[in-house]
Amino acid sequence: DAGVIQSPRHEVTEMGQEVTLRCKPISGHDYLFWYRQTMMRGLELLIYFNNNVPIDDSGMPEDRFSAKMPNASFSTLKIQPSEPRDSAVYFCASSRTGASGYTFGSGTRLTVV
Amino acid sequence: AQRVTQPEKLLSVFKGAPVELKCNYSYSGSPELFWYVQYSRQRLQLLLRHISRESIKGFTADLNKGETSFHLKKPFAQEEDSAMYYCALSYTGRRALTFGSGTRLQVQP
């Protein structure tokens, strides 16, 4: 298995532009998580899904952020419009029921200028 | 609400010295505790989970419910241990992990 796959690895965009981050979880995993990592705030949970259904989106900063999981093998995190304060590393992780701990992807480093 | 506290942002030790990375948590029920490690610009990797009571790369961690702590220890630090270490908590009914703010371990030669 290739693990959790995120794309792109790096994204540089201008303020106001739409940004879409992508994640492919490990096959057979029924949980998917999106985290944001910054120097100031560390790792923050944004949203997580179980069987493609959002369970907790209380960590999503504001209406500019949205996440979808149209099927078991794909999820997107969209920011529209993007702002400089959104600059961070965004991690996706997946796990399966009955197993403890997650497998993380390599992250997407987002820079909004 | 659950909370994980890692009081040290940076811990610097010399090679061969003992290491203890502190983690305290607040949760009224029975939590599941983890340590994750992130080497420079790499993905987070699971290092330890308290339920398995294992030793990985020489690291151990014991859950102390009385002190609500899950400190990570290694008797002799190696330079390759230099990384960011995160303590995390979950519990039955909530699959998502709550992470501490992390401690950067620097092992000097």
Side-chain angles (χ1 to χ4, degrees):
Chain A
D1 200 321
V4 177
I5 300 172
Q6 290 187 248
S7 64
R9 290 295 303 272
H10 303 274
E11 177 81 32
V12 180
T13 190
E14 291 185 346
M15 183 173 64
Q17 296 298 305
E18 178 179 293
V19 175
T20 299
L21 312 181
R22 296 172 176 79
C23 175
K24 177 179 169 52
I26 291 174
S27 177
H29 282 196
D30 53 344
Y31 283 89
L32 184 139
F33 308 84
W34 282 101
Y35 280 84
R36 178 171 67 176
Q37 184 183 42
T38 60
M39 289 289 289
M40 291 298 295
R41 301 171 70 93
L43 277 159
E44 303 173 279
L45 175 69
L46 298 177
I47 185 171
Y48 79 97
F49 296 83
N50 179 221
N51 292 322
N52 315 336
V53 175
I55 302 301
D56 182 355
D57 65 353
S58 59
M60 295 286 265
E62 47 200 271
D63 292 345
R64 297 185 299 107
F65 285 68
S66 63
K68 294 182 180 179
M69 192 164 186
N71 57 62
S73 58
F74 184 65
S75 177
T76 59
L77 178 67
K78 188 174 293 187
I79 309 172
Q80 165 64 20
S82 58
E83 296 182 2
R85 59 191 167 122
D86 302 330
S87 297
V89 181
Y90 291 81
F91 285 103
C92 176
S94 71
S95 72
R96 61 177 174 79
T97 300
S100 57
Y102 306 161
T103 301
F104 277 84
S106 299
T108 295
R109 183 173 296 275
L110 173 66
T111 304
V112 183
V113 298
Chain B
Q2 71 281 4
R3 187 178 179 90
V4 178
T5 302
Q6 294 179 251
E8 304 141 327
K9 283 190 178 299
L10 172 66
L11 183 62
S12 185
V13 302
F14 287 102
K15 178 182 172 182
V19 170
E20 182 178 68
L21 300 169
K22 291 183 167 48
C23 172
N24 288 90
Y25 66 90
S26 62
Y27 177 64
S28 56
S30 294
E32 192 170 353
L33 275 297
F34 304 83
W35 277 99
Y36 280 79
V37 60
Q38 186 179 29
Y39 300 102
S40 180
R41 295 202 168 222
Q42 293 187 24
R43 70 183 71 196
L44 281 92
Q45 304 171 40
L46 178 64
L47 181 63
L48 284 177
R49 65 196 86 185
H50 90 270
I51 58 172
S52 55
R53 301 184 65 83
E54 58 203 339
S55 173
I56 303 293
K57 299 184 179 182
F59 285 98
T60 59
D62 290 317
L63 179 61
N64 186 322
K65 291 187 176 182
E67 295 183 358
T68 60
S69 68
F70 188 57
H71 303 326
L72 183 68
K73 300 177 184 179
K74 185 169 182 176
F76 307 104
Q78 303 298 314
E79 289 181 68
E80 56 265 31
D81 296 329
S82 296
M84 196 76 179
Y85 290 81
Y86 291 94
C87 184
L89 173 155
S90 71
Y91 55 88
T92 302
R94 180 171 173 81
R95 188 71 178 172
L97 287 170
T98 298
F99 284 88
S101 54
T103 298
R104 180 168 299 283
L105 175 63
Q106 285 183 348
V107 182
Q108 301 181 53

